[in-house]
Amino acid sequence: MERKFPLFIVTGASGVGKTTVMHELRGLFPNFIILSTDNDNFGSTKLDYQDRYNLLFHCAAAAAKSNIGTIICGTVMPWDAQKCDTYHDFSEVCFINLHCDDETRNNRLRNRLDKDTWTDEMLKVHQEFAQWLLDNAETAYDPPMPTIDTTLALPAEIALQIREFIYTKWNI
């Protein structure tokens, strides 16, 4: 019988620092695969989000068979993860929520390359989503999802907090 390993997903609303911390994680986890839901299209921009999640989970499951861990950075909801073909190939799917205060998130989004898309309405939607993640971290996620505040922390500090959580679950 094959041993199952956990899969890790760093999630959060847009602008909380998922992509920024991903680069730090690559340095802290040289033996892990670090993937992003944003740009890992496997050569195709025609994939919808569920197909993209499914491909990412397949890659993670294949890596796990070689005792290699995977961290996916991106906004994935638990019900979308559960629809993936290989969801049950993992001992557990562990989400980690990155969060920052509304003012910081809004400033970050309004200073990105795609700043024109961040209307007041879009900012409000992401504010409500960020609050939903906080409100449901204990009940909608199994295991419960820890939250790391990125408002003032440097990306390297956030990555170390993520590493601390992952090492509580990753036992090779």
Side-chain angles (χ1 to χ4, degrees):
M1 185 172 184
E2 278 187 51
R3 180 174 173 201
K4 292 183 176 184
F5 295 97
L7 171 64
F8 302 96
I9 300 175
V10 177
T11 192
S14 292
V16 297
K18 298 180 300 289
T19 301
T20 302
V21 79
M22 181 177 66
H23 303 294
E24 296 289 335
L25 292 172
R26 286 188 171 126
L28 289 177
F29 291 96
N31 296 323
F32 270 57
I33 296 171
I34 314 290
L35 301 170
S36 169
T37 62
D38 290 340
N39 58 14
D40 290 324
N41 288 307
F42 301 93
S44 173
T45 57
K46 297 177 184 176
L47 295 175
D48 68 19
Y49 277 102
Q50 190 61 52
D51 288 338
R52 194 179 305 175
Y53 301 151
N54 207 35
L55 279 172
L56 292 170
F57 270 63
H58 273 275
C59 290
K65 289 179 182 175
S66 296
N67 299 337
I68 297 170
T70 300
I71 302 168
I72 297 173
C73 297
T75 304
V76 179
M77 301 307 290
W79 47 86
D80 293 323
Q82 292 166 359
K83 291 178 194 172
C84 292
D85 299 339
T86 58
Y87 180 82
H88 294 289
D89 289 358
F90 303 98
S91 59
E92 59 187 340
V93 177
C94 303
F95 289 82
I96 304 159
N97 180 35
L98 299 187
H99 179 80
C100 62
D101 66 44
D102 296 336
E103 181 182 352
T104 300
R105 187 179 49 259
N106 292 348
N107 285 335
R108 289 175 182 172
L109 292 171
R110 286 196 164 140
N111 287 303
R112 290 186 356 176
L113 291 176
D114 64 349
K115 61 186 169 194
D116 294 338
T117 63
W118 293 102
T119 63
D120 289 343
E121 182 179 327
M122 284 293 293
L123 294 174
K124 186 176 186 320
V125 167
H126 281 267
Q127 177 180 337
E128 291 169 357
F129 176 60
Q131 188 60 51
W132 185 93
L133 290 170
L134 292 175
D135 294 343
N136 291 278
E138 295 290 320
T139 56
Y141 294 84
D142 183 24
M145 178 174 63
T147 295
I148 297 173
D149 189 337
T150 67
T151 304
L152 299 174
L154 296 172
E157 295 167 346
I158 297 161
L160 289 172
Q161 291 179 58
I162 292 169
R163 181 178 70 177
E164 184 177 317
F165 172 78
I166 288 174
Y167 283 163
T168 67
K169 303 282 186 176
W170 187 261
N171 298 315
I172 289 192

